[in-house]
Amino acid sequence: MLNRKLISFNSRTNHSQDVGNNTILFSKLNFLKLNTNYFMKRYLRILKPTKVYSRHELSSSHLTTLEPDTIISFNREKRRDKVNWMEIYIEDKKEAYIKKDHDNFYKCQNVILDDDSVQGFSVIYKTSKKPLFDSLFHQKDTLTEIENIGIIKAESIEDAKEGKKIDIQLAYNKDLIQVDPFVLKKKEHFYIINNVFGKKYIFIEIDNLKGKKGFILKKTNYTKKGDEWMKPVIVIIMILVVGGLILIGLSAGWLAISGLMLIPAVIVAIVAIVVLQIILMIIKGIFNIIRKRF
């Protein structure tokens, strides 16, 4: 028996079908009336059949059921009678509600690529009975008893000039699946539509809602949309705090010009940044609680 080292991937769904839990990752995604201004919206990816209610009350009418792999736009969280709800939009921008149960959906993350480029891949099954996802890919040169072998490379190039990158080459059976590569460039927007935490999971599932969807390396560097302003703010704070402390120290005669004088200034700057982030998190949390109640 040959020793194949399997590559573990992300999968997070509990709907029971004979094709296995991982197969919905490759199903055709349903987008309900998506606006062309994609990245102004927030989305949920449905993982299990989920009832849709007309109001955020358990006694309200049942409108429809969202099937696994549906990606639906949502507005905010609501709370009524000790039950948490997600306010979503269905056809014709009609408001509706689903119960907030994280086993039923994944909250997609809108992000911007920080790396110079990333190569990922999509998968299309060629057989009616779909094998488990974890059995599809193997490390290169370990799938020796299969005749029709394909090789796909997943790569994340952090800095092309400095040669900073990570990559892995995977072997697969071309009779079972079709694997197509795609490339994302620096500053490109995309959504993370599935991300399972754990050391054995090396990929995240993404979709840019413009035709590029599939898997990229989990170690890819990206920034959450809406948080990108933090980087220049952090740099400005560091400069102001470090420069200010140095000037104060020199004018008071406390410091001599040396590299050691930067150490306390940098420490103070880091503390200021952490405090700023905590304050922003508290403000955001208060704002979300207020939105939930009204």
Side-chain angles (χ1 to χ4, degrees), residues 194-260:
N194 202 12
N195 187 5
V196 178
F197 295 99
K199 290 183 179 179
K200 67 177 182 177
Y201 299 111
I202 64 172
F203 288 94
I204 54 177
E205 190 177 5
I206 66 99
D207 195 327
N208 74 344
L209 305 188
K210 297 179 181 179
K212 296 179 183 179
K213 58 184 177 182
F215 297 84
I216 64 174
L217 290 170
K218 184 184 281 283
K219 291 187 177 180
T220 297
N221 296 301
Y222 55 83
T223 300
K224 289 183 181 179
K225 183 78 169 135
D227 291 343
E228 64 270 24
W229 62 271
M230 285 295 295
K231 289 185 177 180
V233 168
I234 288 172
V235 172
I236 292 172
I237 291 175
M238 291 285 287
I239 293 172
L240 291 177
V241 173
V242 172
L245 288 177
I246 290 174
L247 290 175
I248 292 171
L250 289 173
S251 62
W254 299 337
L255 297 172
I257 298 176
S258 70
L260 293 175

Side-chain angles (χ1 to χ4, degrees), residues 9-30:
F9 297 79
N10 295 346
S11 63
R12 182 185 173 188
T13 176
N14 294 320
H15 84 290
S16 56
Q17 293 184 6
D18 59 356
V19 297
N21 285 345
N22 295 288
T23 59
I24 71 161
L25 296 176
F26 302 120
S27 301
K28 184 176 180 180
L29 296 178
N30 268 326

Side-chain angles (χ1 to χ4, degrees), residues 137-177:
F137 294 93
H138 310 265
Q139 288 188 353
K140 187 181 176 182
D141 300 326
T142 62
L143 198 63
T144 55
E145 76 274 26
I146 303 298
E147 293 184 0
N148 196 10
I149 297 175
I151 302 293
I152 186 68
K153 181 171 74 170
E155 181 179 52
S156 178
I157 302 176
E158 182 177 352
D159 191 318
K161 292 181 180 179
E162 296 184 4
K164 295 174 66 176
K165 68 176 184 177
I166 54 174
D167 62 73
I168 185 171
Q169 293 193 41
L170 307 173
Y172 62 92
N173 188 343
K174 294 173 70 174
D175 294 328
L176 295 179
I177 54 176

Side-chain angles (χ1 to χ4, degrees), residues 65-83:
T65 299
L66 298 176
E67 296 300 324
D69 266 352
T70 300
I71 290 185
I72 191 79
S73 175
F74 79 96
N75 178 31
R76 57 179 173 170
E77 297 180 23
K78 300 277 283 184
R79 184 173 176 84
R80 176 67 60 85
D81 298 329
K82 298 182 180 180
V83 178

